[in-house]
Amino acid sequence: MNRYLLSEPTAADGETTRVSIDSRVGIYRRGDGSKAIVAETADEQIDLGVRDATVSRKTNGRPPVALSPISRGISVRNHGSTNPVTLSTNLRTHKLTAGDAAAITDDCRLTIGLSLTLRATVEGEGSRQNSQAQSAGVRPAAHARTLANALRTASEDSVAETRGVISELRTFLQEHPLERAEYESVCAQVDRIEQRLESKASGLHRTEHLDEEWQSELAVVSDRIESIYARSDR
């Protein structure tokens, strides 16, 4: 899987800057008055070729926005950007307040400050675009098993990654309805989990990781989803 941050230059004769996200990449405005936006990796500081005075500078050595590789794509975290941080995909727009994080699994527009828009993209086996293409010829039971396994794994990783998988599961359930009472029950359970995870990500009980009780509950719903689609495929 390949993960990249891309920026379109403001100059007409400029070239797109492409930064590989192999480890954490911080995004911030230089404090030298140039308004230059940079991406900082562990090894270098890369000028993205764009200028925006509304993007925050580093605070106590920490960039306001950071992108990190995760197993299913990219994690985006707002460490304290003064102005909004917004993620936009073809399906929805999600605003990150200070301390929030979200997972990117395919292609996303990342708006930082009031007007700067960058792109974050995931290419390879784990991206949603490829998953959809691969699943076109895959039975729902196999697809359900893949997503159930992804949820079990994500629950041990982070809240951000778990939210991403739950969102995919919710879409899968909507696109593959079953005439079973268990189906309605598991859909309701996934909806409740999605709402509670929202609180985990941005509410009073905000945290980055899930405890054993959460992991156990998500394992149960994973088993239920895998089971009802396995039975429907017989």
Side-chain angles (χ1 to χ4, degrees), residues 169-218:
L169 266 171
R170 190 167 178 269
T171 299
F172 169 79
L173 290 168
Q174 291 172 342
E175 293 177 349
H176 300 84
L178 298 174
E179 294 184 0
R180 291 173 177 268
E182 300 99 319
Y183 168 80
E184 299 295 337
S185 175
V186 81
C187 284
Q189 186 176 8
V190 167
D191 286 343
R192 288 194 298 271
I193 289 172
E194 189 170 40
Q195 292 169 3
R196 290 166 56 209
L197 282 173
E198 181 70 25
S199 176
K200 277 282 186 183
S202 58
L204 293 175
H205 305 291
R206 183 169 56 206
T207 183
E208 292 186 23
H209 302 286
L210 298 172
D211 58 25
E212 291 184 2
E213 184 177 348
W214 262 97
Q215 291 173 13
S216 177
E217 180 178 353
L218 292 171

Side-chain angles (χ1 to χ4, degrees), residues 68-217:
S68 303
I70 54 177
S71 61
R72 294 180 52 254
I74 303 167
S75 171
V76 181
R77 177 170 291 279
N78 179 354
H79 280 298
S81 174
T82 303
N83 288 310
V85 176
T86 305
L87 307 180
S88 301
T89 66
N90 292 330
L91 297 176
R92 66 171 183 160
T93 296
H94 180 64
K95 184 175 291 186
L96 300 181
T97 57
D100 283 354
I104 297 172
T105 57
D106 45 29
D107 190 71
C108 177
R109 294 178 299 282
L110 178 63
T111 303
I112 304 172
L114 299 181
S115 58
L116 175 66
T117 299
L118 307 172
R119 278 185 57 211
T121 185
V122 179
E123 301 174 357
E125 185 179 355
S127 72
R128 181 179 298 164
Q129 292 165 331
N130 281 336
S131 294
Q132 289 175 337
Q134 293 168 2
S135 66
V138 176
R139 290 183 176 180
H143 196 179
R145 184 167 59 252
T146 298
L147 290 173
N149 286 332
L151 182 58
R152 296 183 188 103
T153 300
S155 71
E156 299 175 358
D157 193 332
S158 68
V159 172
E161 188 154 353
T162 302
R163 290 177 71 194
V165 179
I166 282 291
S167 178
E168 289 190 45
L169 266 171
R170 190 167 178 269
T171 299
F172 169 79
L173 290 168
Q174 291 172 342
E175 293 177 349
H176 300 84
L178 298 174
E179 294 184 0
R180 291 173 177 268
E182 300 99 319
Y183 168 80
E184 299 295 337
S185 175
V186 81
C187 284
Q189 186 176 8
V190 167
D191 286 343
R192 288 194 298 271
I193 289 172
E194 189 170 40
Q195 292 169 3
R196 290 166 56 209
L197 282 173
E198 181 70 25
S199 176
K200 277 282 186 183
S202 58
L204 293 175
H205 305 291
R206 183 169 56 206
T207 183
E208 292 186 23
H209 302 286
L210 298 172
D211 58 25
E212 291 184 2
E213 184 177 348
W214 262 97
Q215 291 173 13
S216 177
E217 180 178 353

Side-chain angles (χ1 to χ4, degrees), residues 19-99:
V19 180
S20 181
I21 305 173
D22 298 319
S23 58
R24 197 185 80 153
V25 176
I27 303 171
Y28 60 93
R29 171 170 55 93
R30 280 182 179 153
D32 56 6
S34 67
K35 303 179 184 177
I37 310 304
V38 299
E40 184 176 71
T41 69
D43 302 317
E44 60 181 330
Q45 187 184 88
I46 303 165
D47 191 325
L48 295 178
V50 291
R51 306 287 183 267
D52 194 318
T54 67
V55 175
S56 298
R57 293 175 292 182
K58 275 186 173 182
T59 302
N60 297 324
R62 186 171 66 177
V65 180
L67 283 67
S68 303
I70 54 177
S71 61
R72 294 180 52 254
I74 303 167
S75 171
V76 181
R77 177 170 291 279
N78 179 354
H79 280 298
S81 174
T82 303
N83 288 310
V85 176
T86 305
L87 307 180
S88 301
T89 66
N90 292 330
L91 297 176
R92 66 171 183 160
T93 296
H94 180 64
K95 184 175 291 186
L96 300 181
T97 57

